[in-house]
Amino acid sequence: MKKNTLTTCILLLIAYSLHAQKLPVDYVNTFIGTGKTGNTNPYAQMPWGMVSVGPMNVLDRVSKGEWISSGYKHGEKNIAGFTQVNLSGTGCPDLGCVLVMPTVSKRSLVEDVNLLNPKNYQSGYTDESSLPGYYAAKLTSYGIKAEMTATNRVSISRYTFPASANSNIIVNLADALTVKKGGSIKVVSSTEIEGFKVVGGFCNKWSPMANVYFVIKLSKPAKLSGVWKDGVCLQNYNREIAGDNVGAFLSFTTSSDEAIEVKVAVSYTSINNARQNMKMEQAYFSFDDVLENSKNRWNKELSKILVEGGSDSDRTIFYTALYHILIHPSLLSDFNGSYPAMMSGDIRRAVGYSRYNVFSLWDTYRNVHPLLSLIYPEKQLDMLQSMIDMYKESGWLPKWELYSRESYVMVGDPAIPVIVDSYLRGIKDFEVNTAWEAMFKSAMVTEENGNPLRPGSSKFNTLGYIPENDKGRDNVWGSVSTGLEYCIADWNIAQFAKALGKENDYQIFLNRSMNYKNYFDPATLFLSPRLSDGSFLTIKNPNRVKGYPGATGFVEGTPYNYNFMVPHDIPGLVKLMGKKNFSERLEYCFTETDTLAFDMTNEPDIAYPYLFNYLKGEEWKTQKYVNQCIRNYFNTTVDGIPGDDDCGTMSAWLVFSMMGIYPDCPGNMNYQVSAPVFDRISIKLNEKFYTGNEMTILAPKKSADDIYIESFNVNNVPSKTFVLNHQDIVKGGIINFVLSPKR
C-alpha cells in the first residue's frame, strides 16, 4: 500500500511538472516593441493571418497630423475602437481600418449624433492583457470588458456589458491609418452590417487604391440601428451609404455582465467573399473555441524551434522575435482562393497555394526570408509563387507590395535575392523559368525603357555607377545605396544563372555585381558618391547623419553604415581597403559608441558584427559584438526592439543570432557562426524539403559569460572555420560547441 502511494505521488509530481512547464507560446510578450520603437502591436491574429484585430489608441495623435505607423502605442490614454486589418513593424502607416467600438450611452445614439464621434466616445482603459491570438482590456468609461481573437480571415470579439438600456456597437469607416478616404456601409439586418473601406497611399506614395470588404455579424439582435454620414444620423436605414465620413451602429438593452460576440470577416475581393470567409472559418459564435485554436496554432509554429537554457528573459525575447517574424507577409487570398491581381485589381484565384501580401522586401530579403526558408519552407514556397504571379500580372516583380499594389518604397531590386536564396536552399517547386525571365527583364531593361524597379539603371549598366549629379529621369534616392543594392541583386542573378547552367549570363551578372568597386574612393576608403566626370564627392562628418533621408548619396544612413554593405564580396572589399584598414574601421563602428557609425536600428549594417569572421584570427570579435548587440539592443520592455521591426527583420536578426548562425549574404549558402545563447536548440526540419528531420545545436555553458567559441563540430566532424553551410544544417544531426568566457 505504501509503495503504491509513493508511486502515485511521484506520478502526480511528474504530471504537475509537465503541466507547469512553459510552452513556447507562453514566453511571448506581445507588448515588446509597442513603445517608442518597434511599431509592433499586441493585436490578436493567426500566424500570417489576414485579420489582425486590436485597439486604436493613437487617434488623437493621428488627427493632429502625426506620422504614426501603428494604431497602437503603449501608454496612450484612450481607445477609440478596435481595428480589423493592420500592419506590424512598418515605418509607414496604412490600413488600421474598420473601427468597431462598444459603448454605453445615457441616450439613444440617434438622439445625439455627437455620441458617434470617436473623440467623444473613446475611452480610457485598464486591465490590459495580450498573448498570441488574444487581446483584452476593460474600457473604463463604460465598464465594458473587451476581448478579441481570430481565425485567418475572421476576427471575433466578446464584449461584456453592464446593465444598460443603451448598449451599442459602433462601426466607424472615417478614421483609419490609411491616407485614402472613403467607404461604404449598410445595415443588412438587426445582426449584420456589411461594406468596404478604401485604403492606399502607403508612405504617402502614389499607389492605386484598394478596398477592404467586410461583413460583421452579432450574436444578439439589435433593438435599434442606424447609419450616419458627415454628422447626419439616419435611424433604421437599410440602404447602402457611402462617403468619406460614414458609419453604422446597432443598439441593445443588456443585463449585467451580458456578453455580445461580434464577428468581422474581411476580404480584398468582395463582400460576398467576406461572407463566405466567415461561413467557412467561423460558422458559429464560439469565442473560446477560436481562442483555443489560435493559441494551439501559434504554439505549433513557434515550437518548430525549441530552446533550453538561457534565462527566462532570453526565452521571452527569442520567442517574441519568432512570433513577430510570423506576422508578415500575410494572407491576401480568400478561403476560396480569390484575390485582387497585382496593380489591376482584377479578381484571380490562387490554385494550389495561398496568395500573400505585405512584402517589405528591402528589409526582409536580408534575413526574414532565409529564416522562413529554413524553418517554414512550405510557407516560403507560397510566398515565392505569390511574387512570381505578381510579375505575371503586372510585368514586374514586387519591390514593396501591399494588398497587390506596388508602393515603390525603398531602393534596389530586392525580390531577386529572395527568390534566388530560396531556390539555392532547396525550395524549387515554383515556376523557375518565369522567375528567370522576370529577373533578366528587371536587370536588362533600363528606366528609360519603362523599368519602374531600377531607376538609374541606364547609367549603372553602362558607366558601372549612378552619378550623384545625373540620377536619371526618376531622380534616384541615394546613388551609392541604390547602386550597391543593384550589385547584390545582380550577384544573385549570377548565382541563379550558374545553377540553371547559363554560363554566359553567369559571367555577365557576376562582372556587373562588382560595380561596387566603382564607388570605392581610395583616398577616403569609403564607398562614395561619384559625379558624371568620375570624380568622388566627399561627405563631411560621415558618421553623424542619421535616419531619413540620409547623407548625400545614401538611403537612411551614413557612409559608415554602407561602408561594408557588399555581402557578396567581402574578401574583395578587404583587398580593396587592406586588411588592417578594414579591421580598424569595422571595429570603430562598435567602439566609438558616441557616433552613428553603426546603426542597429536599420538594415544596411545589421550584418556588420559578423564580418570579423572574414578576418582570420579576429573571429572572436564577431562573438563579442554579436553578444554585445543582443544584450544592448533587445530586451523585454515595450522599447525592446531597436527601431522599426520592419516586418520582422530586426526580430529575425535576433532569432538567428541567439541560435549562433546568421545568413550575412542572401544567395550565399554559408551562415556566419557566433556563440549560441542557449544550451540546446532543436530545429525541426520539413522533410518534404530537406533530408533531415531535426538539427540540434548543443552549447552548454557554465555561466552567461561563456560567449567565445573554443571549437565546434558538425556530426563529430571538427570545423576549421567559423562558417556553417546550409546543407550542414538541413541534413540534420548535432552541432556541438565548446564555449569559454575567454577568447
Side-chain angles (χ1 to χ4, degrees), residues 288-320:
D288 291 328
D289 287 346
V290 174
L291 176 58
E292 183 68 18
N293 179 61
S294 180
K295 180 179 179 179
N296 290 340
R297 172 73 187 286
W298 273 111
N299 195 63
K300 176 184 176 181
E301 301 298 351
L302 295 171
S303 296
K304 298 289 176 67
I305 307 177
L306 297 176
V307 301
E308 298 175 23
S311 65
D312 274 357
S313 294
D314 291 334
R315 291 187 287 276
T316 293
I317 63 173
F318 179 85
Y319 280 115
T320 302

Side-chain angles (χ1 to χ4, degrees), residues 222-244:
K223 67 176 184 179
L224 176 68
S225 68
V227 297
W228 80 87
K229 177 179 180 180
D230 299 329
V232 177
C233 182
L234 301 173
Q235 181 178 340
N236 296 331
Y237 188 79
N238 60 2
R239 292 189 298 173
E240 178 184 43
I241 189 167
D244 287 349

Side-chain angles (χ1 to χ4, degrees), residues 242-459:
D244 287 349
N245 185 7
V246 295
F249 67 87
L250 298 173
S251 296
F252 317 82
T253 297
T254 56
S255 57
S256 179
D257 293 330
E258 180 177 353
I260 297 177
E261 294 187 359
V262 179
K263 297 187 294 185
V264 183
V266 301
S267 166
Y268 288 93
T269 61
S270 69
I271 290 173
N272 286 339
N273 274 7
R275 186 171 284 109
Q276 185 184 35
N277 288 342
M278 183 180 291
K279 178 181 178 181
M280 300 306 296
E281 292 189 4
Q282 291 194 48
Y284 308 102
F285 288 94
S286 183
F287 182 91
D288 291 328
D289 287 346
V290 174
L291 176 58
E292 183 68 18
N293 179 61
S294 180
K295 180 179 179 179
N296 290 340
R297 172 73 187 286
W298 273 111
N299 195 63
K300 176 184 176 181
E301 301 298 351
L302 295 171
S303 296
K304 298 289 176 67
I305 307 177
L306 297 176
V307 301
E308 298 175 23
S311 65
D312 274 357
S313 294
D314 291 334
R315 291 187 287 276
T316 293
I317 63 173
F318 179 85
Y319 280 115
T320 302
L322 186 57
Y323 163 80
H324 283 141
I325 296 165
L326 307 189
I327 293 176
H328 296 311
S330 47
L331 279 170
L332 180 73
S333 53
D334 294 322
F335 192 91
N336 66 7
S338 297
Y339 68 88
M342 186 69 167
M343 298 303 281
S344 71
D346 296 340
I347 304 305
R348 307 285 179 89
R349 182 162 293 187
V351 178
Y353 81 104
S354 295
R355 177 67 172 253
Y356 286 85
N357 85 129
V358 194
F359 283 89
S360 176
L361 295 170
W362 183 82
D363 309 292
T364 58
Y365 88 80
R366 304 166 200 269
N367 54 29
V368 171
H369 288 285
L371 189 141
L372 294 176
S373 293
L374 175 63
I375 311 296
Y376 308 95
E378 70 286 357
K379 296 296 180 185
Q380 179 68 3
L381 178 59
D382 280 5
M383 293 171 192
L384 295 177
Q385 192 59 55
S386 296
M387 289 193 288
I388 291 167
D389 279 353
M390 290 174 197
Y391 164 73
K392 291 161 64 177
E393 294 156 10
S394 70
W396 301 97
L397 288 169
K399 193 167 190 174
W400 211 126
E401 173 272 353
L402 178 61
Y403 42 73
S404 274
R405 303 296 190 267
E406 181 55 70
S407 68
Y408 298 112
V409 171
M410 302 312 296
V411 299
D413 202 347
I416 289 173
V418 171
I419 296 170
V420 174
D421 183 81
S422 303
Y423 179 85
L424 295 177
R425 292 188 190 282
I427 304 175
K428 299 182 177 181
D429 190 18
F430 59 90
E431 297 177 59
V432 173
N433 291 333
T434 304
W436 170 259
E437 174 188 293
M439 295 178 198
F440 191 86
K441 177 182 178 182
S442 178
M444 300 304 288
V445 175
T446 66
E447 82 276 17
E448 296 169 341
N449 295 312
N451 186 341
L453 295 182
R454 292 202 183 195
S457 55
S458 178
K459 299 292 184 181

